[in-house]
Amino acid sequence: MPELPEVETIRRGLDKYIIGRTIRKVSILCEKSFRGDKKYIEKQKIIKIDRRGKALLIQLENNMWMMIHLRMTGQLIYVGNEKFAAGHPDAGFTEEMPGRHTRVYFDFDDDSHLYFNDQRKFGFIAVKDELGIATDSFLTKLGPEPWDMEKDDFYEMLQRHKNTPVKAAILDQSNIAGVGNIYADEGCFYAGILPWRRCGDVEREESDKLLEGLATVMQRSIDSGGSTMKDYVRADGTKGSYLEKFAQVFRREGLECPRCGAMIEKTRAAGRGTHYCKGCQK
């Protein structure tokens, strides 16, 4: 699944290509992948693309919305005067569209097209009105994103989960939105906290540093185009460079810590593969 920086990178790419386009026709090839009635979005102009956590939110001129979640293997492929692919980089990036994994596609008024591909059919496009977006159960359960969370609120959240490992608490999207495995490890390293420490043992100064770290490493990733994982690329089809340029511990097991020179190790915490430096993190 893409993490927040990858989805934000996709949002910025889509903004370039589809803002101002009118949806002439919606073709649904897999009923599971499309939720709602397409009549509410056909013949409507796209006026804005937002993001909440890991979900893309596309607003239309009639105040209807499309919520898009790529999940594990989703792709968005735009074909017009230019072509770009966003999401899971399988053969869909180069094959003729619609392809064997195309589930939904949109024809625009300028004869360009946007294809939603999803190999495993876990992703979806949902049509919502304003009230539906405001009350959507997926969105309303999300906590604030790292940039929008006050230090007092973050520390209070940790204390409410005093017996929970730190990594588990920050991966919980209802506590803080958008943090995934990469950025949980990097944020803990930034703050010098072992990911399996209990939240109740985190001092206030450490809590402030952790929140700062989560915001910092995720912003660095957005600025560099998202993490370079085998599954996700930028909206223009190129890979992001976060792991190569900025990652300090994630997927660096067996290498020296750039801060203290100790060996980066990998274990499991919060049910996930977890990277840490035993020299820097306490």
Side-chain angles (χ1 to χ4, degrees):
M1 184 181 295
E3 300 192 21
L4 184 153
E6 287 72 63
V7 179
E8 175 61 19
T9 300
I10 292 169
R11 186 199 68 78
R12 294 181 183 188
L14 285 176
D15 192 82
K16 172 184 175 182
Y17 291 102
I18 67 174
I19 293 294
R21 299 278 189 263
T22 295
I23 301 171
R24 189 175 68 220
K25 181 181 178 183
V26 181
S27 298
I28 302 169
L29 307 184
C30 175
E31 296 294 334
K32 178 182 177 181
S33 300
F34 192 88
R35 305 173 185 177
D37 194 329
K38 68 178 185 178
K39 73 180 182 181
Y40 294 114
I41 61 174
E42 289 184 324
K43 309 298 188 282
Q44 296 298 319
K45 182 184 293 185
I46 295 172
I47 62 172
K48 183 168 66 172
I49 306 176
D50 283 337
R51 178 194 52 73
R52 183 70 175 97
K54 302 174 185 179
L56 290 169
L57 302 171
I58 299 178
Q59 186 180 15
L60 305 172
E61 62 181 343
N62 62 349
N63 288 323
M64 296 297 289
W65 293 77
M66 288 189 291
M67 181 171 69
I68 303 177
H69 208 309
L70 298 180
R71 298 292 189 187
M72 297 289 290
T73 59
Q75 297 176 328
L76 289 170
I77 299 175
Y78 174 83
V79 180
N81 291 332
E82 300 179 59
K83 178 179 179 179
F84 76 85
H88 183 80
D90 65 11
F93 283 174
T94 56
E95 68 185 13
E96 291 296 317
M97 292 288 108
R100 64 188 185 280
H101 295 142
T102 300
R103 309 305 177 192
V104 181
Y105 65 93
F106 304 86
D107 297 329
F108 295 120
D109 56 339
D110 64 345
D111 292 324
S112 62
H113 313 275
L114 181 67
Y115 299 90
F116 176 73
N117 289 4
D118 189 10
Q119 182 177 350
R120 299 182 68 181
K121 301 181 184 179
F122 292 157
F124 62 86
I125 298 173
V127 175
K128 304 269 186 178
D129 60 17
E130 287 189 288
L131 179 61
I133 284 291
T135 59
D136 180 79
S137 60
F138 174 81
L139 298 176
T140 55
K141 290 177 182 177
L142 294 177
E145 296 181 4
W147 305 275
D148 301 323
M149 197 166 194
E150 298 293 334
K151 292 179 178 178
D152 288 347
D153 295 334
F154 186 72
Y155 180 68
E156 183 181 306
M157 179 276 290
L158 293 178
Q159 298 310 303
R160 287 200 312 269
H161 299 84
K162 62 181 181 179
N163 293 320
T164 301
V166 169
K167 183 169 181 176
I170 61 179
L171 285 176
D172 186 334
Q173 300 298 293
S174 66
N175 291 332
I176 184 166
V179 179
N181 201 42
I182 298 171
Y183 306 104
D185 284 2
E186 293 293 314
C188 285
F189 176 79
Y190 185 102
I193 296 172
L194 285 170
W196 53 87
R197 271 181 65 184
R198 300 296 174 183
C199 290
D201 295 333
V202 176
E203 302 291 340
R204 175 55 193 264
E205 184 177 348
E206 294 176 308
S207 171
D208 292 351
K209 189 74 171 177
L210 178 57
L211 180 60
E212 176 186 296
L214 292 172
T216 298
V217 299
M218 292 172 73
Q219 187 60 55
R220 286 176 181 170
S221 183
I222 290 170
D223 292 342
S224 66
S227 60
T228 301
M229 302 289 284
K230 68 181 180 68
D231 290 342
Y232 283 90
V233 298
R234 289 192 188 124
D236 62 1
T238 61
K239 289 189 176 183
S241 57
Y242 176 79
L243 290 186
E244 296 170 336
K245 292 182 178 178
F246 299 110
Q248 305 293 292
V249 292
F250 192 82
R251 293 204 170 171
R252 291 178 55 85
E253 63 269 24
L255 301 177
E256 289 186 359
C257 171
R259 185 185 294 163
C260 74
M263 192 76 72
I264 302 297
E265 299 189 16
K266 182 179 180 180
T267 185
R268 289 191 70 79
R272 308 291 296 276
T274 298
H275 306 77
Y276 69 100
C277 171
K278 63 181 180 182
C280 291
Q281 293 170 259
K282 307 298 181 183

